Every structure is written in C-alpha cells, then in structure tokens.
Amino acid sequence: MNLQYIVSYLKDVLVREPGMLVRTYSVRRCRKQAPGHGAVGGCDNTCRAGAMVFCADGRMPHGGMFDRLKGAVSVYAAAKVLGRDFRICFNSPFVLERYLEPNGYDWRLGEAGRCESICGAHPVVMYGEWGNPRRLLKRRRREAHFYYGYDSLEYINRCCGMQFDWGELYGELFRPTAYLQQYIDDCKQGLGKEYVAVHLRFMNLLGDKTEFDSDPTLPRAEQESLTMRALASLREVMRRNCGKRILLATDSATFVELVRREQPEVRFIPGEIKHIGTAQHTSDGAVVKMFVDYYMIAGAERVYNLVGPGMWPSAFPEYAAKIGRCPFVRISFK
C-alpha cells in the first residue's frame, strides 16, 4: 500500500465513519429484523444482517450522477460475490425511484427503510480508497451503509475470479420509470433512430457556474478561443459522420447558444443544465434532462467525448456508451 492510500484509509475509518455514527445513528438497541434476515443484537429499527446498502443521502458529498451509479454498481457486484442482500438509499438531491426503477433485481429499501441503530448497522465510507477498495469485499455481520463513488469491477473481477460487465450489472439494477420513459420516447420520436452523440464538459471554464466554485473560469478572450476550437472539433466529427444527425450534450449553456447560431442542424435535449454534485436541491426538469441526455447518448450509433485544455474527460458519455453497447471515442483537441 502507498502512503496516499494509508492516509485516505485512516481518514475514512478514524474520522469520517466515527463522525457519521455520532451525528446520525441512534443508540437504541435493535429489536426487529427484516423478514429472512437474522437479528443482530436485537433493535428498535428494522435491520438486515449483513446487507450491503449503497447510500447517496446527502450526509456527505457524493459526486456527480455517474460517480454515484459507478459506486452503486460496484457495491452490487461485491454483494453478488459475497451472497449478500443489496439495497439502495438514494434520496439526495432527488429520489432515484422517481426516474429509475428495479429491473432484474429489486434494490428498494421498502417500508422498513434502513437500520440506523448503532447495534445493527454502521457506515462504510470509502471515497478515499478507490485505489485499493478491499473493504468492499469484507464480510460483515451488521447492515453496512456504503459511501463510495468509483467503478471497481476490474478490482473485483481480479480478486474474485469474476467477469462482471458494467453494462450488464447496470441493466440488472435499473430501467427508466414510466414517467422518465415518456420523455425518452418523445425525444427519440423527434430525433429518429440513426444519430451520433457528442458530449463536452467545460466545467466552469466558460463562466456557466455549474460546478464547484473552486473550478476556474477563463478570461473572456480565452473563453472565446476555447469555444472556437471546440466548435472546430465538433465540425470535424460532423464531417466524419456526414449525413448523420448530431445530438449534442454539454454542461455549458454558453456553448449550446454558440452551436445554435453556427450549426443550427445540431440537435439538443432542452432543459436546465445542473450538476447534482453541487446542488442541495434539483428541479424535476433538470433531473429529467440529465437522464434523457444519458439514455439518448446510450441509444446513439457512436458516442464522442471532445476534450480541450482544462476540460474534463467525462465519464458520463463513456458509461452511457457502455450501457448502450455503442462505440465510444474520446478526442482531445488543442
């Protein structure tokens, strides 16, 4: 283990986890257990002994949507290896079940909720342990609440002799609800079946302020230079895919307006642009747009992620392509 991992591990187990226990877990003793699960010390809350619960509950920063989904799929894979019950508690800054529902595996907590008694459950905070997530595979007696945001399937496959595929596991867990599917169907009807998706993530470089305040904004002249180079890269993708409809997804309303003027044939999904990792509250329209972008990218013939200086090589289009099993190309421009 390197020093960085050791420091991260000690911070997780000595600072973050005890702090969360003190702040949010009850000292009441356990008296009930969920059907089919053994009791652990007996508690006032329902507990699922040994269950693995992925949490995005606002008790700490969770990252963006795909950080959360990567974490959920990784914990699910670990639960499959260990033969444990798997659940999801995702209620911040929105309730996941409004937009995604179980597909092949029922991960809902149900009316019982999750156990929040110290004797029956405990948090497992692992945001600092992405390089060696060995605690994912530890067998526990109590209900474990995982705070994690990385794709660890390669690690799990290597350690456990498995061949988990991210797209397949995602498909076991999730499908759009009827509410979300209606928006997706409307967009598909307007766009057609044959199209290419292009994604760019500018962070705050163009002054859109969709990210953390610490992310820099470029001076005006440099913003204009970057947008012109990004537009040239987009035009090159259009040239390579001559005759195909182009769907553009980006975190920058500034770039959207530029493309509307310069390339009016390019299509967009309308709606508010929001990054859920920076939002305490998120409107329904912003969440719908995020998921529709995601599923429309997954349905493309080919997916491109264009990355310029200071921009972010986003996981959003990469993992959408995994789910849609379509070719993914990341293009860097200067």
Side-chain angles (χ1 to χ4, degrees), residues 215-245:
D215 292 322
T217 296
L218 294 174
R220 177 64 63 182
E222 293 182 32
Q223 289 183 34
E224 293 177 359
S225 175
L226 180 60
T227 55
M228 289 299 102
R229 285 175 284 160
L231 182 60
S233 186
L234 172 62
R235 285 170 172 161
E236 175 59 22
V237 170
M238 296 171 68
R239 186 192 65 78
R240 293 185 191 182
N241 296 273
C242 184
K244 299 288 186 183
R245 291 188 180 91

PDB file of all heavy atoms in Angstrom, residues 215-245:
ATOM      1  N   ASP A 215     -13.614  25.544  -9.164  1.00  0.00           N
ATOM      2  CA  ASP A 215     -13.226  25.308 -10.552  1.00  0.00           C
ATOM      3  C   ASP A 215     -13.104  26.649 -11.278  1.00  0.00           C
ATOM      4  O   ASP A 215     -13.997  27.493 -11.198  1.00  0.00           O
ATOM      5  CB  ASP A 215     -14.258  24.420 -11.257  1.00  0.00           C
ATOM      6  CG  ASP A 215     -14.258  23.008 -10.695  1.00  0.00           C
ATOM      7  OD1 ASP A 215     -13.161  22.504 -10.387  1.00  0.00           O
ATOM      8  OD2 ASP A 215     -15.339  22.417 -10.561  1.00  0.00           O
ATOM      9  N   PRO A 216     -12.006  26.867 -12.018  1.00  0.00           N
ATOM     10  CA  PRO A 216     -11.719  28.196 -12.573  1.00  0.00           C
ATOM     11  C   PRO A 216     -12.590  28.571 -13.767  1.00  0.00           C
ATOM     12  O   PRO A 216     -13.112  27.710 -14.470  1.00  0.00           O
ATOM     13  CB  PRO A 216     -10.250  28.074 -12.990  1.00  0.00           C
ATOM     14  CG  PRO A 216     -10.076  26.622 -13.303  1.00  0.00           C
ATOM     15  CD  PRO A 216     -10.944  25.887 -12.316  1.00  0.00           C
ATOM     16  N   THR A 217     -12.723  29.880 -13.977  1.00  0.00           N
ATOM     17  CA  THR A 217     -13.348  30.444 -15.165  1.00  0.00           C
ATOM     18  C   THR A 217     -12.278  31.175 -15.961  1.00  0.00           C
ATOM     19  O   THR A 217     -11.493  31.942 -15.400  1.00  0.00           O
ATOM     20  CB  THR A 217     -14.476  31.420 -14.782  1.00  0.00           C
ATOM     21  OG1 THR A 217     -15.509  30.699 -14.104  1.00  0.00           O
ATOM     22  CG2 THR A 217     -15.049  32.092 -16.019  1.00  0.00           C
ATOM     23  N   LEU A 218     -12.259  30.946 -17.263  1.00  0.00           N
ATOM     24  CA  LEU A 218     -11.245  31.568 -18.108  1.00  0.00           C
ATOM     25  C   LEU A 218     -11.554  33.045 -18.355  1.00  0.00           C
ATOM     26  O   LEU A 218     -12.725  33.450 -18.364  1.00  0.00           O
ATOM     27  CB  LEU A 218     -11.184  30.848 -19.458  1.00  0.00           C
ATOM     28  CG  LEU A 218     -10.702  29.396 -19.458  1.00  0.00           C
ATOM     29  CD1 LEU A 218     -10.842  28.810 -20.857  1.00  0.00           C
ATOM     30  CD2 LEU A 218      -9.256  29.290 -18.985  1.00  0.00           C
ATOM     31  N   PRO A 219     -10.534  33.860 -18.601  1.00  0.00           N
ATOM     32  CA  PRO A 219     -10.774  35.231 -19.077  1.00  0.00           C
ATOM     33  C   PRO A 219     -11.545  35.199 -20.398  1.00  0.00           C
ATOM     34  O   PRO A 219     -11.501  34.201 -21.135  1.00  0.00           O
ATOM     35  CB  PRO A 219      -9.361  35.786 -19.278  1.00  0.00           C
ATOM     36  CG  PRO A 219      -8.478  34.932 -18.419  1.00  0.00           C
ATOM     37  CD  PRO A 219      -9.101  33.575 -18.413  1.00  0.00           C
ATOM     38  N   ARG A 220     -12.224  36.299 -20.713  1.00  0.00           N
ATOM     39  CA  ARG A 220     -13.114  36.326 -21.863  1.00  0.00           C
ATOM     40  C   ARG A 220     -12.425  35.916 -23.163  1.00  0.00           C
ATOM     41  O   ARG A 220     -12.966  35.116 -23.933  1.00  0.00           O
ATOM     42  CB  ARG A 220     -13.689  37.740 -22.018  1.00  0.00           C
ATOM     43  CG  ARG A 220     -14.582  37.932 -23.236  1.00  0.00           C
ATOM     44  CD  ARG A 220     -15.833  37.068 -23.164  1.00  0.00           C
ATOM     45  NE  ARG A 220     -16.656  37.441 -22.030  1.00  0.00           N
ATOM     46  CZ  ARG A 220     -17.792  36.813 -21.717  1.00  0.00           C
ATOM     47  NH1 ARG A 220     -18.190  35.771 -22.433  1.00  0.00           N
ATOM     48  NH2 ARG A 220     -18.499  37.208 -20.673  1.00  0.00           N
ATOM     49  N   ALA A 221     -11.235  36.421 -23.420  1.00  0.00           N
ATOM     50  CA  ALA A 221     -10.544  36.094 -24.673  1.00  0.00           C
ATOM     51  C   ALA A 221     -10.237  34.605 -24.756  1.00  0.00           C
ATOM     52  O   ALA A 221     -10.375  33.987 -25.827  1.00  0.00           O
ATOM     53  CB  ALA A 221      -9.255  36.917 -24.788  1.00  0.00           C
ATOM     54  N   GLU A 222      -9.839  34.016 -23.632  1.00  0.00           N
ATOM     55  CA  GLU A 222      -9.533  32.575 -23.627  1.00  0.00           C
ATOM     56  C   GLU A 222     -10.809  31.747 -23.758  1.00  0.00           C
ATOM     57  O   GLU A 222     -10.787  30.655 -24.352  1.00  0.00           O
ATOM     58  CB  GLU A 222      -8.776  32.213 -22.353  1.00  0.00           C
ATOM     59  CG  GLU A 222      -7.381  32.821 -22.274  1.00  0.00           C
ATOM     60  CD  GLU A 222      -6.641  32.405 -21.023  1.00  0.00           C
ATOM     61  OE1 GLU A 222      -6.861  31.277 -20.541  1.00  0.00           O
ATOM     62  OE2 GLU A 222      -5.842  33.214 -20.519  1.00  0.00           O
ATOM     63  N   GLN A 223     -11.921  32.220 -23.206  1.00  0.00           N
ATOM     64  CA  GLN A 223     -13.204  31.535 -23.400  1.00  0.00           C
ATOM     65  C   GLN A 223     -13.549  31.466 -24.886  1.00  0.00           C
ATOM     66  O   GLN A 223     -13.953  30.415 -25.399  1.00  0.00           O
ATOM     67  CB  GLN A 223     -14.322  32.262 -22.650  1.00  0.00           C
ATOM     68  CG  GLN A 223     -14.264  32.155 -21.147  1.00  0.00           C
ATOM     69  CD  GLN A 223     -15.453  32.844 -20.497  1.00  0.00           C
ATOM     70  OE1 GLN A 223     -16.563  32.851 -21.027  1.00  0.00           O
ATOM     71  NE2 GLN A 223     -15.229  33.440 -19.334  1.00  0.00           N
ATOM     72  N   GLU A 224     -13.413  32.598 -25.563  1.00  0.00           N
ATOM     73  CA  GLU A 224     -13.745  32.639 -26.988  1.00  0.00           C
ATOM     74  C   GLU A 224     -12.833  31.726 -27.793  1.00  0.00           C
ATOM     75  O   GLU A 224     -13.289  31.032 -28.722  1.00  0.00           O
ATOM     76  CB  GLU A 224     -13.651  34.075 -27.491  1.00  0.00           C
ATOM     77  CG  GLU A 224     -14.712  34.984 -26.897  1.00  0.00           C
ATOM     78  CD  GLU A 224     -14.569  36.422 -27.344  1.00  0.00           C
ATOM     79  OE1 GLU A 224     -13.615  36.719 -28.116  1.00  0.00           O
ATOM     80  OE2 GLU A 224     -15.408  37.265 -26.949  1.00  0.00           O
ATOM     81  N   SER A 225     -11.572  31.693 -27.434  1.00  0.00           N
ATOM     82  CA  SER A 225     -10.630  30.812 -28.127  1.00  0.00           C
ATOM     83  C   SER A 225     -11.005  29.348 -27.929  1.00  0.00           C
ATOM     84  O   SER A 225     -11.012  28.559 -28.891  1.00  0.00           O
ATOM     85  CB  SER A 225      -9.205  31.072 -27.619  1.00  0.00           C
ATOM     86  OG  SER A 225      -8.297  30.150 -28.187  1.00  0.00           O
ATOM     87  N   LEU A 226     -11.335  28.975 -26.688  1.00  0.00           N
ATOM     88  CA  LEU A 226     -11.686  27.577 -26.401  1.00  0.00           C
ATOM     89  C   LEU A 226     -12.970  27.176 -27.120  1.00  0.00           C
ATOM     90  O   LEU A 226     -13.053  26.079 -27.696  1.00  0.00           O
ATOM     91  CB  LEU A 226     -11.845  27.369 -24.895  1.00  0.00           C
ATOM     92  CG  LEU A 226     -12.221  25.953 -24.450  1.00  0.00           C
ATOM     93  CD1 LEU A 226     -11.171  24.935 -24.888  1.00  0.00           C
ATOM     94  CD2 LEU A 226     -12.427  25.902 -22.931  1.00  0.00           C
ATOM     95  N   THR A 227     -13.980  28.048 -27.125  1.00  0.00           N
ATOM     96  CA  THR A 227     -15.234  27.692 -27.789  1.00  0.00           C
ATOM     97  C   THR A 227     -15.043  27.542 -29.298  1.00  0.00           C
ATOM     98  O   THR A 227     -15.656  26.662 -29.916  1.00  0.00           O
ATOM     99  CB  THR A 227     -16.326  28.736 -27.504  1.00  0.00           C
ATOM    100  OG1 THR A 227     -15.859  30.043 -27.874  1.00  0.00           O
ATOM    101  CG2 THR A 227     -16.722  28.735 -26.046  1.00  0.00           C
ATOM    102  N   MET A 228     -14.197  28.367 -29.893  1.00  0.00           N
ATOM    103  CA  MET A 228     -13.942  28.243 -31.324  1.00  0.00           C
ATOM    104  C   MET A 228     -13.238  26.921 -31.648  1.00  0.00           C
ATOM    105  O   MET A 228     -13.541  26.262 -32.642  1.00  0.00           O
ATOM    106  CB  MET A 228     -13.115  29.425 -31.819  1.00  0.00           C
ATOM    107  CG  MET A 228     -13.859  30.750 -31.857  1.00  0.00           C
ATOM    108  SD  MET A 228     -15.311  30.728 -32.965  1.00  0.00           S
ATOM    109  CE  MET A 228     -16.642  30.562 -31.773  1.00  0.00           C
ATOM    110  N   ARG A 229     -12.298  26.520 -30.794  1.00  0.00           N
ATOM    111  CA  ARG A 229     -11.610  25.248 -31.018  1.00  0.00           C
ATOM    112  C   ARG A 229     -12.549  24.065 -30.777  1.00  0.00           C
ATOM    113  O   ARG A 229     -12.497  23.060 -31.503  1.00  0.00           O
ATOM    114  CB  ARG A 229     -10.381  25.159 -30.114  1.00  0.00           C
ATOM    115  CG  ARG A 229      -9.208  26.032 -30.583  1.00  0.00           C
ATOM    116  CD  ARG A 229      -8.072  26.006 -29.583  1.00  0.00           C
ATOM    117  NE  ARG A 229      -8.373  26.831 -28.428  1.00  0.00           N
ATOM    118  CZ  ARG A 229      -7.770  26.714 -27.239  1.00  0.00           C
ATOM    119  NH1 ARG A 229      -6.858  25.773 -27.051  1.00  0.00           N
ATOM    120  NH2 ARG A 229      -8.087  27.516 -26.246  1.00  0.00           N
ATOM    121  N   ALA A 230     -13.412  24.188 -29.784  1.00  0.00           N
ATOM    122  CA  ALA A 230     -14.395  23.127 -29.540  1.00  0.00           C
ATOM    123  C   ALA A 230     -15.365  23.015 -30.704  1.00  0.00           C
ATOM    124  O   ALA A 230     -15.741  21.908 -31.131  1.00  0.00           O
ATOM    125  CB  ALA A 230     -15.147  23.407 -28.241  1.00  0.00           C
ATOM    126  N   LEU A 231     -15.786  24.160 -31.242  1.00  0.00           N
ATOM    127  CA  LEU A 231     -16.686  24.155 -32.395  1.00  0.00           C
ATOM    128  C   LEU A 231     -16.008  23.517 -33.605  1.00  0.00           C
ATOM    129  O   LEU A 231     -16.637  22.742 -34.348  1.00  0.00           O
ATOM    130  CB  LEU A 231     -17.120  25.580 -32.718  1.00  0.00           C
ATOM    131  CG  LEU A 231     -18.111  25.753 -33.864  1.00  0.00           C
ATOM    132  CD1 LEU A 231     -19.409  25.007 -33.591  1.00  0.00           C
ATOM    133  CD2 LEU A 231     -18.392  27.244 -34.097  1.00  0.00           C
ATOM    134  N   ALA A 232     -14.727  23.794 -33.804  1.00  0.00           N
ATOM    135  CA  ALA A 232     -13.992  23.180 -34.914  1.00  0.00           C
ATOM    136  C   ALA A 232     -13.910  21.664 -34.733  1.00  0.00           C
ATOM    137  O   ALA A 232     -14.032  20.907 -35.710  1.00  0.00           O
ATOM    138  CB  ALA A 232     -12.587  23.779 -35.007  1.00  0.00           C
ATOM    139  N   SER A 233     -13.719  21.206 -33.498  1.00  0.00           N
ATOM    140  CA  SER A 233     -13.672  19.765 -33.230  1.00  0.00           C
ATOM    141  C   SER A 233     -15.033  19.125 -33.490  1.00  0.00           C
ATOM    142  O   SER A 233     -15.125  18.023 -34.040  1.00  0.00           O
ATOM    143  CB  SER A 233     -13.232  19.525 -31.779  1.00  0.00           C
ATOM    144  OG  SER A 233     -13.053  18.152 -31.524  1.00  0.00           O
ATOM    145  N   LEU A 234     -16.099  19.822 -33.100  1.00  0.00           N
ATOM    146  CA  LEU A 234     -17.448  19.329 -33.379  1.00  0.00           C
ATOM    147  C   LEU A 234     -17.672  19.224 -34.889  1.00  0.00           C
ATOM    148  O   LEU A 234     -18.236  18.226 -35.369  1.00  0.00           O
ATOM    149  CB  LEU A 234     -18.478  20.274 -32.751  1.00  0.00           C
ATOM    150  CG  LEU A 234     -19.943  20.024 -33.110  1.00  0.00           C
ATOM    151  CD1 LEU A 234     -20.397  18.639 -32.646  1.00  0.00           C
ATOM    152  CD2 LEU A 234     -20.836  21.119 -32.514  1.00  0.00           C
ATOM    153  N   ARG A 235     -17.239  20.216 -35.628  1.00  0.00           N
ATOM    154  CA  ARG A 235     -17.412  20.183 -37.087  1.00  0.00           C
ATOM    155  C   ARG A 235     -16.642  19.019 -37.710  1.00  0.00           C
ATOM    156  O   ARG A 235     -17.088  18.421 -38.691  1.00  0.00           O
ATOM    157  CB  ARG A 235     -16.959  21.503 -37.683  1.00  0.00           C
ATOM    158  CG  ARG A 235     -17.944  22.644 -37.447  1.00  0.00           C
ATOM    159  CD  ARG A 235     -17.363  23.980 -37.827  1.00  0.00           C
ATOM    160  NE  ARG A 235     -18.375  25.030 -37.783  1.00  0.00           N
ATOM    161  CZ  ARG A 235     -18.096  26.329 -37.707  1.00  0.00           C
ATOM    162  NH1 ARG A 235     -16.820  26.726 -37.665  1.00  0.00           N
ATOM    163  NH2 ARG A 235     -19.064  27.217 -37.673  1.00  0.00           N
ATOM    164  N   GLU A 236     -15.493  18.686 -37.137  1.00  0.00           N
ATOM    165  CA  GLU A 236     -14.733  17.543 -37.651  1.00  0.00           C
ATOM    166  C   GLU A 236     -15.500  16.241 -37.419  1.00  0.00           C
ATOM    167  O   GLU A 236     -15.524  15.364 -38.283  1.00  0.00           O
ATOM    168  CB  GLU A 236     -13.367  17.478 -36.963  1.00  0.00           C
ATOM    169  CG  GLU A 236     -12.524  16.261 -37.309  1.00  0.00           C
ATOM    170  CD  GLU A 236     -12.222  16.119 -38.796  1.00  0.00           C
ATOM    171  OE1 GLU A 236     -12.285  17.136 -39.529  1.00  0.00           O
ATOM    172  OE2 GLU A 236     -11.941  14.985 -39.235  1.00  0.00           O
ATOM    173  N   VAL A 237     -16.141  16.117 -36.265  1.00  0.00           N
ATOM    174  CA  VAL A 237     -16.975  14.935 -36.009  1.00  0.00           C
ATOM    175  C   VAL A 237     -18.130  14.892 -37.011  1.00  0.00           C
ATOM    176  O   VAL A 237     -18.466  13.823 -37.551  1.00  0.00           O
ATOM    177  CB  VAL A 237     -17.514  14.941 -34.562  1.00  0.00           C
ATOM    178  CG1 VAL A 237     -18.572  13.853 -34.369  1.00  0.00           C
ATOM    179  CG2 VAL A 237     -16.376  14.739 -33.571  1.00  0.00           C
ATOM    180  N   MET A 238     -18.730  16.025 -37.282  1.00  0.00           N
ATOM    181  CA  MET A 238     -19.820  16.083 -38.254  1.00  0.00           C
ATOM    182  C   MET A 238     -19.331  15.678 -39.632  1.00  0.00           C
ATOM    183  O   MET A 238     -20.038  14.978 -40.373  1.00  0.00           O
ATOM    184  CB  MET A 238     -20.412  17.490 -38.276  1.00  0.00           C
ATOM    185  CG  MET A 238     -21.076  17.903 -36.961  1.00  0.00           C
ATOM    186  SD  MET A 238     -21.543  19.657 -36.889  1.00  0.00           S
ATOM    187  CE  MET A 238     -22.859  19.687 -38.104  1.00  0.00           C
ATOM    188  N   ARG A 239     -18.111  16.091 -39.980  1.00  0.00           N
ATOM    189  CA  ARG A 239     -17.553  15.720 -41.285  1.00  0.00           C
ATOM    190  C   ARG A 239     -17.333  14.206 -41.365  1.00  0.00           C
ATOM    191  O   ARG A 239     -17.629  13.578 -42.387  1.00  0.00           O
ATOM    192  CB  ARG A 239     -16.224  16.444 -41.506  1.00  0.00           C
ATOM    193  CG  ARG A 239     -15.624  16.245 -42.899  1.00  0.00           C
ATOM    194  CD  ARG A 239     -14.204  16.729 -42.971  1.00  0.00           C
ATOM    195  NE  ARG A 239     -13.323  15.939 -42.123  1.00  0.00           N
ATOM    196  CZ  ARG A 239     -12.868  14.726 -42.442  1.00  0.00           C
ATOM    197  NH1 ARG A 239     -13.220  14.157 -43.594  1.00  0.00           N
ATOM    198  NH2 ARG A 239     -12.072  14.081 -41.618  1.00  0.00           N
ATOM    199  N   ARG A 240     -16.819  13.617 -40.281  1.00  0.00           N
ATOM    200  CA  ARG A 240     -16.586  12.165 -40.263  1.00  0.00           C
ATOM    201  C   ARG A 240     -17.881  11.376 -40.377  1.00  0.00           C
ATOM    202  O   ARG A 240     -17.889  10.239 -40.841  1.00  0.00           O
ATOM    203  CB  ARG A 240     -15.890  11.755 -38.964  1.00  0.00           C
ATOM    204  CG  ARG A 240     -14.480  12.263 -38.784  1.00  0.00           C
ATOM    205  CD  ARG A 240     -13.893  11.663 -37.521  1.00  0.00           C
ATOM    206  NE  ARG A 240     -12.640  12.294 -37.131  1.00  0.00           N
ATOM    207  CZ  ARG A 240     -11.921  11.926 -36.080  1.00  0.00           C
ATOM    208  NH1 ARG A 240     -12.338  10.921 -35.312  1.00  0.00           N
ATOM    209  NH2 ARG A 240     -10.805  12.553 -35.781  1.00  0.00           N
ATOM    210  N   ASN A 241     -18.954  11.963 -39.884  1.00  0.00           N
ATOM    211  CA  ASN A 241     -20.244  11.265 -39.863  1.00  0.00           C
ATOM    212  C   ASN A 241     -21.239  11.980 -40.776  1.00  0.00           C
ATOM    213  O   ASN A 241     -22.391  12.230 -40.399  1.00  0.00           O
ATOM    214  CB  ASN A 241     -20.778  11.203 -38.434  1.00  0.00           C
ATOM    215  CG  ASN A 241     -19.895  10.385 -37.517  1.00  0.00           C
ATOM    216  OD1 ASN A 241     -20.034   9.168 -37.421  1.00  0.00           O
ATOM    217  ND2 ASN A 241     -18.953  11.051 -36.832  1.00  0.00           N
ATOM    218  N   CYS A 242     -20.796  12.274 -41.958  1.00  0.00           N
ATOM    219  CA  CYS A 242     -21.588  13.038 -42.917  1.00  0.00           C
ATOM    220  C   CYS A 242     -22.943  12.369 -43.160  1.00  0.00           C
ATOM    221  O   CYS A 242     -23.023  11.152 -43.410  1.00  0.00           O
ATOM    222  CB  CYS A 242     -20.826  13.156 -44.233  1.00  0.00           C
ATOM    223  SG  CYS A 242     -21.657  14.168 -45.468  1.00  0.00           S
ATOM    224  N   GLY A 243     -23.983  13.151 -43.039  1.00  0.00           N
ATOM    225  CA  GLY A 243     -25.330  12.629 -43.276  1.00  0.00           C
ATOM    226  C   GLY A 243     -26.026  12.147 -42.020  1.00  0.00           C
ATOM    227  O   GLY A 243     -27.234  11.907 -42.056  1.00  0.00           O
ATOM    228  N   LYS A 244     -25.295  11.994 -40.918  1.00  0.00           N
ATOM    229  CA  LYS A 244     -25.896  11.540 -39.663  1.00  0.00           C
ATOM    230  C   LYS A 244     -26.369  12.739 -38.843  1.00  0.00           C
ATOM    231  O   LYS A 244     -25.732  13.790 -38.824  1.00  0.00           O
ATOM    232  CB  LYS A 244     -24.880  10.756 -38.826  1.00  0.00           C
ATOM    233  CG  LYS A 244     -24.336   9.502 -39.486  1.00  0.00           C
ATOM    234  CD  LYS A 244     -25.380   8.406 -39.536  1.00  0.00           C
ATOM    235  CE  LYS A 244     -24.758   7.104 -40.076  1.00  0.00           C
ATOM    236  NZ  LYS A 244     -25.776   6.029 -40.208  1.00  0.00           N
ATOM    237  N   ARG A 245     -27.489  12.575 -38.168  1.00  0.00           N
ATOM    238  CA  ARG A 245     -27.921  13.596 -37.225  1.00  0.00           C
ATOM    239  C   ARG A 245     -26.934  13.638 -36.058  1.00  0.00           C
ATOM    240  O   ARG A 245     -26.421  12.616 -35.625  1.00  0.00           O
ATOM    241  CB  ARG A 245     -29.322  13.309 -36.703  1.00  0.00           C
ATOM    242  CG  ARG A 245     -30.418  13.456 -37.745  1.00  0.00           C
ATOM    243  CD  ARG A 245     -31.775  13.335 -37.078  1.00  0.00           C
ATOM    244  NE  ARG A 245     -32.863  13.470 -38.037  1.00  0.00           N
ATOM    245  CZ  ARG A 245     -33.415  12.451 -38.678  1.00  0.00           C
ATOM    246  NH1 ARG A 245     -32.963  11.220 -38.468  1.00  0.00           N
ATOM    247  NH2 ARG A 245     -34.404  12.645 -39.531  1.00  0.00           N
TER     248      ARG A 245
END
